[in-house]
């Protein structure tokens, strides 16, 4: 489709294949083969059920529900309200289908590739095929992750699943109103395994190469938001503009939907950030407060930017700004003070406003719902500021701007390159974009034979 893309992405895929080969060579034994009397684990294993922490487990189950609410119905409503009436149901269907698809792929393969020991690039394969996550009531044994030894591994794996779901769902905003539904599912399924799982392993599994370097990402600034933003950028570039883009008004269907979705994102984000403490403790409390403060600062900073440049603030701007603040504080929530969270949110509100307006015009891309402008830019800003503002009193570690920049740059390059390769592959085999007639008719009818009633 764009012949200049056909070479560079193969290098990124080579890294993926090398990681897969290394992971296969370092398979982690199944939980049934390793019974450990206490929580000092180097890999997932079995422990006595009595060793679990009930408060931590209850909080993590609650946080899991909160993060899932961010996608269903949060992202679905947030995005559906901004597209044109003829594409509302397709946008919602895409988010729902992604949640179902990523769930099955996660327990079949993704969790094992992301969160079990393997090599610096990719996890092992010991928990593929719905293996692991064991529980034996009669023997009093339960599987736990070495990354969360106080809660059942079934809870931890499901919690991390909700991150994989929302990251993939965020990408939808970049290609709404023009991608085939079936091709979208193939692309997202491949992307969740080839891009999301490796990046999660790099940053969040203790053996990952960015984790070893000391990169800080408390709840997904790089893993979720930079990752989704760069994938969105690749989608917007590869698919091209929607018909009529820049020449006719694209009227949002219902900004009330968007506000409701933004509110659900704001509430659910407490599970996203405070839940990433993996404990019901003081650090989770600080992360919860930082989340609220940054969201508020982001909303008002974006509104101020609109007031200065356009003479008025808008509901859409307030909603976009609060999301920008939430995005930017995500990597920092468990590492910074509440004052620093305010700074991060305010800077992100202004930066993401520019990213969704001035930068978007400079790039000339139809990133339909500003996935890169909000999530990409917000994730970059938040990740870099984490390196500057991280407080050892909060997170127990020093920040490094250089390390943060290296981590962000690596995720940007990998996500953009492999996303482009996957798009090219799906386009060559199935075709990515709907026909002009289907786009004019709207994807609700052309893809689903459904439409919103009068």
């Amino acid at each position: 489709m764009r012949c200049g893309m056909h070479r560079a992405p193969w290098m990124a895929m080579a890294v993926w294949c090398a990681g897969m080969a290394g992971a296969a060579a370092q398979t982690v034994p199944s939980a049934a083969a390793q019974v450990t009397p206490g929580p000092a684990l180097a890999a997932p294993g079995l422990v006595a059920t009595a060793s679990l922490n009930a408060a931590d487990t209850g909080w993590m189950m609650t946080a899991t529900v909160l993060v899932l609410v961010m996608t269903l119905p949060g992202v679905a409503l947030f995005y559906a309200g901004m597209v044109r009436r003829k594409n509302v149901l397709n946008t919602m269907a895409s988010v729902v289908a992604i949640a179902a698809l990523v769930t099955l792929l996660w327990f079949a393969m993704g969790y094992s590739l992301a969160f079990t020991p393997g090599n610096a690039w990719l996890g092992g394969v010991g928990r593929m095929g719905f293996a692991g996550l064991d529980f034996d009531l009669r023997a009093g044994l339960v599987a736990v992750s070495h990354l969360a030894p106080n809660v059942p591994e079934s809870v931890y794996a499901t919690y991390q699943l909700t991150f994989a779901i929302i990251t993939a769902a965020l990408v939808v905003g970049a290609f709404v109103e023009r991608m085939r539904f079936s091709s979208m599912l193939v692309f997202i399924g491949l992307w969740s395994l080839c891009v999301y799982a490796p990046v999660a392993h790099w940053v969040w599994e203790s053996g990952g190469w960015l984790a070893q370097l000391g990169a800080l990402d408390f709840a997904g600034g790089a893993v979720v938001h930079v990752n989704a933003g760069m994938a969105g950028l690749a989608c917007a570039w590869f698919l091209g503009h929607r018909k009529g883009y820049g020449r006719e008004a694209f009227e949002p269907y219902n900004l009330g939907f968007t506000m409701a979705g933004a509110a659900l994102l704001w509430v659910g984000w407490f599970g996203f950030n405070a839940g990433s403490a993996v404990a019901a403790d003081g650090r989770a409390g600080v992360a919860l407060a930082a989340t609220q403060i940054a969201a508020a600062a982001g909303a008002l900073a974006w509104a101020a930017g609109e007031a200065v440049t356009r003479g008025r603030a808008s509901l859409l701007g307030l909603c976009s700004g609060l999301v920008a603040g939430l995005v930017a504080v995500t990597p920092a929530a468990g590492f910074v003070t509440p004052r620093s969270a305010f700074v991060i949110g305010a800077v992100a509100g202004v930066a993401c406003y520019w990213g969704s307006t001035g930068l978007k015009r400079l790039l000339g891309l139809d990133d339909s719902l500003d996935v890169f402008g909000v999530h990409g830019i917000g994730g970059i800003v938040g990740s870099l500021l984490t390196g500057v503002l991280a407080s050892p009193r909060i997170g127990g570690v020093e920040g490094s701007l250089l390390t943060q920049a290296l981590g962000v740059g690596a995720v940007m390059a990998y996500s953009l390159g492999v996303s482009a390769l996957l798009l090219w592959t799906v386009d060559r085999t199935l075709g990515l974009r709907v026909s002009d007639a289907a786009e004019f008719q709207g994807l609700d009818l052309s893809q689903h034979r459904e439409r919103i009633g009068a």
Side-chain angles (χ1 to χ4, degrees):
M1 187 171 183
R2 286 169 170 76
C3 39
M5 336 172 29
H6 294 176
R7 296 178 185 158
W10 291 105
M11 297 179 65
M13 183 53 77
V15 173
W16 157 256
C17 294
M20 281 292 288
Q26 302 183 46
T27 301
V28 180
S30 68
Q34 38 182 327
V35 179
T36 307
L41 300 168
L46 290 175
V47 299
T49 54
S51 70
L52 299 177
N53 184 295
D56 292 349
T57 300
W59 164 234
M60 292 308 297
M61 293 174 73
T62 302
T64 298
V65 173
L66 287 171
V67 181
L68 188 58
V69 165
M70 292 171 66
T71 304
L72 299 170
V75 171
L77 285 170
F78 187 71
Y79 280 172
M82 289 189 280
V83 300
R84 288 171 288 180
R85 181 188 183 94
K86 61 185 180 181
N87 296 306
V88 170
L89 298 181
N90 171 260
T91 302
M92 289 183 162
S94 296
V95 174
V96 173
I98 284 171
L101 175 65
V102 173
T103 294
L104 299 182
L105 291 175
W106 184 252
F107 286 114
M109 298 178 66
Y111 172 71
S112 190
L113 296 176
F115 286 100
T116 62
N119 55 39
W121 302 98
L122 203 63
V125 296
R127 270 160 164 63
M128 282 190 177
F130 302 91
L133 316 185
D134 300 295
F135 174 68
D136 190 328
L137 179 64
R138 289 176 297 182
L141 297 173
V142 61
V144 298
S145 169
H146 58 302
L147 304 173
N150 293 329
V151 303
E153 191 179 16
S154 57
V155 173
Y156 182 68
T158 307
Y159 178 68
Q160 292 298 343
L161 160 68
T162 62
F163 282 66
I165 288 173
I166 195 169
T167 308
L170 289 174
V171 182
V172 170
F175 59 71
V176 290
E177 304 193 312
R178 60 201 189 276
M179 187 184 282
R180 291 181 178 180
F181 186 74
S182 57
S183 298
M184 177 277 296
L185 289 176
V186 173
F187 166 68
I188 289 294
L190 292 171
W191 189 88
S192 70
L193 296 176
C194 298
V195 180
Y196 181 81
V199 171
H201 181 78
W202 296 356
V203 178
W204 284 335
E205 206 284 317
S206 52
W209 71 277
L210 286 176
Q212 292 289 315
L213 286 178
L216 303 180
D217 191 352
F218 191 70
V223 176
V224 175
H225 299 292
V226 173
N227 205 0
M230 296 310 295
L233 199 63
C235 289
W237 180 58
F238 202 96
L239 284 164
H241 295 171
R242 289 166 289 177
K243 301 301 179 185
Y245 177 76
R247 300 190 305 275
E248 58 186 72
F250 286 178
E251 192 72 22
Y253 170 66
N254 188 333
L255 290 181
F257 278 14
T258 298
M259 186 273 162
L264 288 165
L265 284 167
W266 192 340
V267 172
W269 223 288
F270 295 124
F272 208 65
N273 287 355
S276 290
V278 199
D281 60 8
R283 195 179 186 195
V286 170
L288 183 132
T291 301
Q292 181 73 8
I293 291 166
L300 294 180
W302 187 301
E306 281 190 327
V308 170
T309 59
R310 298 181 177 179
R312 53 60 181 157
S314 67
L315 173 63
L316 180 58
L318 285 165
C319 292
S320 300
L322 76 86
V323 172
L326 291 166
V327 167
V329 81
T330 292
F335 297 115
V336 301
T337 65
R339 288 189 183 90
S340 294
F342 166 77
V343 173
I344 290 170
V347 171
V350 175
C352 293
Y353 175 59
W354 170 75
S356 301
T357 54
L359 179 60
K360 186 175 181 177
R361 286 192 295 269
L362 286 174
L363 293 174
L365 298 176
D366 184 9
D367 177 6
S368 312
L369 307 182
D370 297 315
V371 176
F372 179 71
V374 174
H375 297 277
I377 296 299
I380 292 168
V381 167
S383 296
L384 296 179
L385 287 178
T386 300
V388 177
L389 298 174
S391 169
R393 290 193 305 114
I394 304 297
V397 294
E398 297 278 355
S400 165
L401 180 60
L402 180 61
T403 301
Q404 295 300 101
L406 174 62
V408 166
V411 173
M412 289 176 69
Y414 183 79
S415 182
L416 182 66
V418 180
S419 297
L421 172 61
L422 295 175
L423 288 164
W424 177 82
T425 302
V426 175
D427 188 44
R428 286 299 182 93
T429 54
L430 300 175
L432 276 175
R433 187 157 181 162
V434 298
S435 67
D436 290 355
E439 186 173 343
F440 179 78
Q441 183 185 39
L443 273 61
D444 291 359
L445 278 172
S446 66
Q447 298 293 293
H448 309 288
R449 294 292 182 264
E450 296 174 310
R451 66 179 176 185
I452 291 178

